[in-house]
Amino acid sequence: MKIERVSDEHALYLRDESRSVGKADFIAFPVCDEDVLEALAFARTNGLAVTTQGGRTGLAAGAVPHGGLVLNLSRMDKVLGVERAEGSVLMRVQPGVLLVNLRKYVEGLRGTYGPLFFPPDPTETTASIGGMTACNASGARTYFYGPTRRYVEGLRVLLADGRSVTLRRGQQSASGRRLLLRCDDGSRLFLPLPSYRMPAVKNASGYYAAYGMDAVDLFVGSDGTLGIITEVLLRLEPLPAQIWECGLLLKTEKDALDLTKALRKNCSRLASIEFFDEGALRVLRERKARDASLSSLADVPEDVHSILFAEIHADSKEAAFAELEKASTCLSTCGGDPARTWFGWNAADIRRFKDFRHAVPESVNMLIDARRRKEPGITKLGTDMSVPDDCLYKVFAMYREGLAQLGLQSAVWGHIGNNHVHVNILPNSLEEYARAKELYGTWAKRVTSMGGAVSAEHGVGKLKASFLETMYGAAAIEEMRELKRTIDPAFMLNPGNLFGAKD
Ligand SMILES: Cc1cc2nc3c(=O)[nH]c(=O)nc-3n(C[C@H](O)[C@H](O)[C@H](O)COP(=O)(O)OP(=O)(O)OC[C@H]3O[C@@H](n4cnc5c(N)ncnc54)[C@H](O)[C@@H]3O)c2cc1C
């Protein structure tokens, strides 16, 4: 494998979807474990930091290098095998397999194993399985199915010193808060696990730490700081016979919050409840008016303030229809008109809904890119925080109050079923950007006091390192550092992630 000096042609590999741009001296594109080990040996010999990359769709700058060697795993993109185990179908993949390709592969298994699917569904399907595992990615269906962690049955991880660890769920677990990690060469690592209690919300903030936890869970969601994941064993689920979706149009935000609450209470077969606010719909409308490629997307009537998308998963048409009726009843009790509901009954309709939902972040990113051409110092500030169910109204009030007080433009969307929306602040100037950053910091504190998480699905990466301290406190960060130091004493892997720039 060639380890190349970074040149202009590698500009793409210095950034991710957070739009942060880093720097690096070398880059390597391994295709197998031996290549990764060679790159790690090169980094150790030359005292280089290593930044691992998957699909670079991350939004927390986790894959953005701060010097040293970029290890881009996009060519480790093979499906290594499919097996049946204890009634489940498991799929072993290299980390560079993209979600979009994994889905096609799973579709092709239908003849042998019946209809299956992999539930985690980040909106950006060019995310890689390695990146999704490192961030414990989620998506809309996490409302019902949970995050990536739940579907990771095993891992192969290469450590900074070149040792490997092959893990299968249930085979290595902690004793209390101490984990004796058995490496493949028979050696052992005694890992002190942090003592904090994780919040009972959707969470991808810092290391997973719990009494008696499985070793697999330590690496899932570790932001690539503990090792390089070179194989993932995924569990697939039976595909529901009926997947329907509806778009519920609402005139006020309060109606949308009431409807979320009502759907959660009355419906049992919803895989997702997704939200788009007035600001998000406005950005989309404006782009649609200019961009012919979006002409197939549905027009949103001018009097619509918010849309909730709810996806129904059921075993029969009757069950799906009953669920739809319940959702319609909830809609009419929350100020909506069921006659205006958008329906999707088949794969083509659902594709159109997904295109609509994907076009929103894309349009916002394009808007910010245009503003950055005038003022390169600004970026979009997108939150990723979750709170407990009983704080849904409170957190929305907090967001609206802060945005109104500072007069900042925003577009809000996301996984409202999990009380987890992305508030995207869209600054026009450096001055607005500075105010927005401050506001984001105060929100992180208040969300923490509500029992929430500062990152629910994107991981902490480099951009949210200070919020991690807000959430857990300085002593907990020191415990995380201690864990990291035990497994990667030189802080070689993904420096800057979780702990900020000084490591
Ligand atoms: C439009 C858009 C919509 C999105 N929607 C969602 C969403 O709904 N839900 C969601 O969760 N995310 C979402 N994301 C964010 C992103 O897709 C996820 O964070 C995804 O998990 C990143 O995967 P990746 O392969 O691109 O990882 P990268 O960006 O390449 O890396 C992310 C992190 O993982 C580490 N990493 C990558 N591969 C490995 C490996 N093999 N071993 C160790 N560490 C590794 C990197 O070092 C980095 O820290 C969205 C992004 C965009 C642009």
Side-chain angles (χ1 to χ4, degrees), residues 457-473:
E457 66 177 5
H458 296 159
V460 171
K462 297 177 181 72
L463 299 185
K464 291 181 229 152
S466 66
F467 299 158
L468 189 64
E469 182 156 347
T470 302
M471 178 170 156
Y472 281 129

Side-chain angles (χ1 to χ4, degrees), residues 177 193-201 203 205 207-211 448 451-453 471-473 476 479-480:
R177 296 267 179 167
L193 303 175
S195 61
Y196 49 76
R197 208 176 152 149
M198 294 179 292
V201 293
N203 182 21
S205 321
Y207 298 136
Y208 186 96
Y211 281 96
T448 298
M471 178 170 156
Y472 281 129
E479 289 182 336
M480 286 190 227

Side-chain angles (χ1 to χ4, degrees), residues 76-118:
M76 291 183 74
D77 61 352
K78 307 271 174 306
V79 172
L80 301 172
V82 180
E83 59 189 84
R84 262 194 213 280
E86 293 166 15
S88 295
V89 177
L90 306 180
M91 194 167 165
R92 186 180 299 281
V93 299
Q94 284 189 308
V97 171
L98 303 184
L99 179 60
V100 58
N101 294 335
L102 182 107
R103 285 185 179 159
K104 282 185 202 147
Y105 196 94
V106 172
E107 180 59 35
L109 297 175
R110 184 181 276 262
T112 317
Y113 296 97
L116 296 166
F117 81 123
F118 175 62

Side-chain angles (χ1 to χ4, degrees), residues 16-17 51-59 61-63 73 95 98 121-124 126-140 223-225 227-230 358 361-362 365 415 422 457-459 461 494 497:
D16 69 1
E17 283 295 327
T51 300
T52 309
Q53 295 183 339
R56 290 179 304 99
T57 68
L59 297 169
L73 303 186
L98 303 184
D121 61 340
T123 318
E124 180 54 66
T126 60
S128 72
I129 296 304
M132 287 177 62
T133 305
C135 294
N136 189 28
S138 285
D223 275 70
T225 56
I228 294 156
I229 298 163
T230 61
H358 189 246
E362 222 178 49
N365 284 343
H415 320 299
H422 302 297
E457 66 177 5
H458 296 159
N494 279 358
N497 283 10

Side-chain angles (χ1 to χ4, degrees), residues 61 81 85 111 121 131 150 158 177 180 199 214 237 268 278 329 357 377 398 402 431 435 438 448 454 467 484 498:
D121 61 340
R150 201 182 281 181
L158 301 183
R177 296 267 179 167
L180 194 60
D214 197 290
E237 289 286 307
S268 57
E278 194 179 22
T329 309
R357 286 164 29 199
M398 175 189 85
E431 193 268 326
R435 275 193 277 154
E438 208 171 308
T448 298
V454 293
F467 299 158
K484 161 90 170 156
L498 298 186

Side-chain angles (χ1 to χ4, degrees), residues 171-182 188-194 210-215:
Q171 290 184 348
Q172 293 202 45
S173 15
S175 165
R177 296 267 179 167
R178 302 237 155 214
L179 176 66
L180 194 60
L181 188 69
R182 282 192 306 279
R188 284 159 188 243
L189 269 165
F190 199 48
L191 302 177
L193 303 175
Y211 281 96
M213 62 181 268
D214 197 290

